[in-house]
């Protein structure tokens, strides 16, 4: 999963729209995403800051209700990782 995440981040440096199209499909409101979806979004935001700006509302809007749903420690860490990147 880490390797797949790194590949998506590498591709997202050049093709951010295509990568975000796929990632946002896994980022549904009301459903906690997989741990590595959050990690990939955070790493991609750090790798391609300006490319991620158009997607901020698509990410942050659904993320706010998800914060209360994160009960497991690894999911809390994933959300914090995204905030720290």
């Amino acid at each position: 999963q880490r390797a797949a995440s790194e590949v998506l981040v590498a591709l997202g440096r050049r093709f951010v729209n295509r990568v975000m199209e796929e990632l946002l499909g896994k980022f549904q409101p009301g459903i906690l995403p997989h741990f590595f979806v959050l990690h990939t979004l955070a790493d991609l935001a750090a790798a391609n800051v300006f490319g991620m700006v158009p997607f901020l509302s698509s990410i942050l809007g659904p993320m706010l209700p998800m914060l209360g749903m994160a009960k497991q420690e690894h999911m809390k860490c994933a959300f914090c990782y995204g905030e720290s990147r």
Side-chain angles (χ1 to χ4, degrees):
Q1 294 167 341
R2 165 89 50 207
S5 175
E6 290 172 0
V7 167
L8 286 173
V9 171
L11 287 171
R13 287 187 177 112
R14 176 74 174 96
F15 306 105
V16 69
N17 290 336
R18 296 288 304 261
V19 171
M20 284 304 297
E21 180 181 320
E22 293 300 320
L23 281 176
L24 289 176
K26 305 293 183 193
F27 200 70
Q28 300 297 322
I31 302 170
L32 279 177
H34 191 274
F35 177 78
F36 267 103
V37 171
L38 295 172
H39 266 268
T40 304
L41 285 170
D43 290 340
L44 184 56
N48 189 351
V49 176
F50 294 111
M52 291 293 288
V53 169
F55 300 101
L56 285 178
S57 61
S58 300
I59 296 168
L60 295 176
M63 189 179 286
L64 185 61
M66 287 180 199
L67 292 174
M69 296 168 44
K71 303 292 184 200
Q72 299 166 327
E73 289 301 314
H74 73 281
M75 288 306 292
K76 289 179 183 178
C77 290
F79 278 104
C80 291
Y81 179 76
E83 295 294 321
S84 68
R85 294 293 291 181

